[in-house]
């Protein structure tokens, strides 16, 4: 099994996002206005793009968004590998807080990566979300 993680173009991320997250919606629904400002990462098994996530950093904070893994490849550890990689990239860049808008049914998954629910929740496009974060303390 030849697995690698690398930066990808936003257009590659869009294809997988649409297929996994919102296949019933128009293609443009999965695009973000600030996709041009993000860093997009993909996990490949051989030549096949299996999982994607986009990272948006601003100052010492970063948000990961639109995390998607092919349905046929879920529960195999691919998403976990990709998310660990991206969190590590954010840490190396000096991020003090990383956060996401997690679908309520995925909270336990994100807790495995040290993210905690903030208490802020919302609904969008018929889905319920909770804001989760992981903060890093720096000591002087």
């Amino acid at each position: 099994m030849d697995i690698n993680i690398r930066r990808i173009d936003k257009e590659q991320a869009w294809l997988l996002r649409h297929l996994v997250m919102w296949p019933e919606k128009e293609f443009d629904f999965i695009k973000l206005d600030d996709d041009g400002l993000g860093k997009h990462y993909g996990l490949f098994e051989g030549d096949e793009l299996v999982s994607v996530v986009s990272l948006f950093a601003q100052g010492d904070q970063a948000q990961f968004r639109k995390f998607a893994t092919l349905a046929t490849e879920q529960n195999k550890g691919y998403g976990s590998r990709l998310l660990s990689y991206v969190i590590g990239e954010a840490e190396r860049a000096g991020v003090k807080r990383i956060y996401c808008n997690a679908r309520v049914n995925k909270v336990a998954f994100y807790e495995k990566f040290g993210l905690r629910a903030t208490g802020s929740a919302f609904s969008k496009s018929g889905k319920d979300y909770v804001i989760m974060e992981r903060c890093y303390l720096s000591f002087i």
Side-chain angles (χ1 to χ4, degrees):
M1 176 163 47
D2 180 27
I3 294 175
N4 75 71
I5 296 171
R6 63 180 182 264
R7 292 271 304 269
I8 59 173
D9 296 328
K10 64 182 183 256
E11 292 82 4
Q12 290 174 284
W14 290 345
L15 292 170
L16 199 68
R17 280 183 197 170
H18 186 253
L19 183 65
V20 174
M21 301 178 84
W22 298 101
E24 72 284 1
K25 301 276 189 183
E26 302 253 344
F27 187 79
D28 285 349
F29 183 80
I30 53 80
K31 296 178 181 179
L32 299 171
D33 290 339
D34 57 354
D35 265 329
L37 303 174
K39 293 180 181 177
H40 309 281
Y41 295 88
L43 180 140
F44 292 80
E45 182 179 4
D47 294 330
E48 183 180 20
L49 181 59
V50 172
S51 187
V52 298
V53 67
S54 299
L55 185 67
F56 299 86
Q58 194 166 30
D60 64 356
Q61 297 191 50
Q63 180 183 21
F64 62 90
R65 302 179 70 185
K66 304 296 184 188
F67 181 32
T69 302
L70 290 173
T72 57
E73 304 302 323
Q74 291 179 10
N75 300 309
K76 296 181 180 180
Y78 295 134
S80 293
R81 285 175 75 165
L82 178 58
L83 188 56
S84 291
Y85 180 88
V86 169
I87 289 172
E89 289 286 290
E91 288 174 356
R92 285 185 286 283
V95 165
K96 301 293 181 224
R97 175 180 179 251
I98 190 164
Y99 67 101
C100 71
N101 299 333
R103 289 186 183 184
V104 170
N105 64 331
K106 299 294 184 182
V107 167
F109 174 79
Y110 293 115
E111 287 176 339
K112 293 187 290 185
F113 297 89
L115 281 90
R116 298 289 171 248
T118 63
S120 297
F122 63 94
S123 294
K124 184 177 176 184
S125 302
K127 306 280 184 189
D128 294 324
Y129 296 87
V130 61
I131 298 173
M132 299 187 73
E133 68 181 1
R134 178 171 158 178
C135 297
Y136 306 89
L137 301 176
S138 59
F139 298 97
I140 299 174

